[in-house]
Structures are given as C-alpha cells and as structure tokens.
C-alpha cells in the first residue's frame, strides 16, 4: 500500500482460515506459507527472522485462556530465540512482553510497517530485554527443580 517492498511474512505452523485476506496479487510476493515444519527447519526460519508474530486472534473464544491459564508456543519461541514480536497489546501485558515487543490493538498493518522501519538500536534493546527475561526464567526453573528435589528427599 505504501510502496514498501523490503519484507517477507513467513507463515509457520497452523494456518488460520482467514489467511485469504493476506493473499492477493499485490502482496503475494511478500508471503511465504510454510505450514508445519520439522523442528530444525522451524528453528532455522526463526533464527533468520527479525520478528515473530503471534498467531492469536482476540475474536476467537479460546483466546482468553492465553491471558490467564497458560502461554502459547509463540511465547516460548519468543523468549528462547530473543526475537521481538508483533503481538496484541493485551497479550503482551499478560506475558510481560510490552517492553520488548511491538504491540497493537486493532491495526496489524501499522505495527508491521513499524517493524519494517524499526531502528536497529531499539531492536537491540528489545533483544537484550528478552535475553534477560530468558535468563530469569532459567533461574526460576533451576530454583523450582531444587525445591522439588528437596521435597522428594524428605
């Protein structure tokens, strides 16, 4: 729409039924649909990506469970690979990712445009925050394991 051509959207995993809204003659050259990939190919794709985009739709009834009952696989990938994400504002707040993501409420196009034009220094800061969150989660996991192991000895 704005003449921006230096991007590609790669769809990995479950492909939503409304994907046809993305597929038109104008943007088809920028869309790469891969579906489910073997683990090593998925990792390679993520490593070579700049951002991750969560496959959650706030109009679907199941969406609310991700706000309170658990996390999505995208969250795990987001933290593990230290890739900033494009994510609904509400979900970013629930996952404590608002400071290391590009968030949106209703205009995915605008946040995608922002990602394409995003300054490298700000991107680097987001990655540093994701790495710190990863390290904190690892430490918490180690502490949880120690606690479980000490309970079993009693």
């Amino acid at each position: 729409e704005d003449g921006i051509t230096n991007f590609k959207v790669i769809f990995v995993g479950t492909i939503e039924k409304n994907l046809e809204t993305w597929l038109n003659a104008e943007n088809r050259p920028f869309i790469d649909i891969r579906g489910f990939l073997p683990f090593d190919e998925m990792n390679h794709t993520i490593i070579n990506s700049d951002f991750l985009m969560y496959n959650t739709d706030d109009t679907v009834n199941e969406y609310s469970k991700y706000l309170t009952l658990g996390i999505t696989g995208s969250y795990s990938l987001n933290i593990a690979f230290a890739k900033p994400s494009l994510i609904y504002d509400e979900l970013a707040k629930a996952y404590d990712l608002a400071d290391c993501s590009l968030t949106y409420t209703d205009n995915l196009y605008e946040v995608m445009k922002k990602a394409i034009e995003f300054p490298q220094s700000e991107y680097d800061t987001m990655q540093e925050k994701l790495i710190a969150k990863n390290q904190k989660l690892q430490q918490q996991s180690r502490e949880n394991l120690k606690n479980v192991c000490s309970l079993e000895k009693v």
Side-chain angles (χ1 to χ4, degrees):
E1 185 173 300
D2 293 333
I4 299 170
T5 60
N6 60 334
F7 74 98
K8 180 170 272 199
V9 177
I10 302 171
F11 288 92
V12 174
T14 304
I15 307 302
E16 294 295 322
K17 293 177 186 173
N18 62 358
L19 182 62
E20 63 271 4
T21 61
W22 290 83
L23 300 177
N24 59 46
E26 187 176 317
N27 67 17
R28 185 63 179 117
F30 310 107
I31 306 286
D32 182 358
I33 301 172
R34 299 194 185 167
F36 283 99
L37 297 175
F39 198 69
D40 60 332
E41 287 181 42
M42 181 187 70
N43 287 349
H44 179 76
T45 301
I46 293 170
I47 289 168
N48 290 302
S49 298
D50 295 316
F51 289 89
L52 297 181
M53 186 167 58
Y54 281 54
N55 186 18
T56 52
D57 184 346
D58 68 349
T59 63
V60 175
N61 290 337
E62 291 185 17
Y63 171 78
S64 63
K65 75 180 179 184
Y66 296 115
L67 296 173
T68 57
L69 298 177
I71 59 170
T72 66
S74 298
Y75 172 82
S76 298
L77 296 171
N78 192 202
I79 296 293
F81 287 91
K83 295 290 181 173
S85 59
L86 310 182
I87 184 173
Y88 283 112
D89 182 64
E90 187 177 32
L91 197 57
K93 289 175 185 171
Y95 287 177
D96 189 30
L97 294 174
D99 64 337
C100 49
S101 301
L102 297 179
T103 64
Y104 61 98
T105 52
D106 61 354
N107 196 333
L108 179 58
Y109 170 77
E110 285 301 320
V111 80
M112 290 176 75
K113 183 177 169 187
K114 184 176 180 179
I116 293 166
E117 300 168 344
F118 206 64
Q120 185 65 47
S121 62
E122 291 180 45
Y123 182 88
D124 293 343
T125 299
M126 284 183 170
Q127 279 195 306
E128 289 168 9
K129 290 177 181 181
L130 286 163
I131 290 167
K133 288 176 190 297
N134 183 322
Q135 291 169 342
K136 181 179 177 183
L137 283 172
Q138 287 181 31
Q139 183 59 37
Q140 288 173 335
S141 294
R142 283 191 289 275
E143 291 299 320
N144 289 342
L145 283 172
K146 284 180 191 177
N147 292 336
V148 168
C149 290
S150 67
L151 288 175
E152 290 180 1
K153 291 179 183 178
V154 175

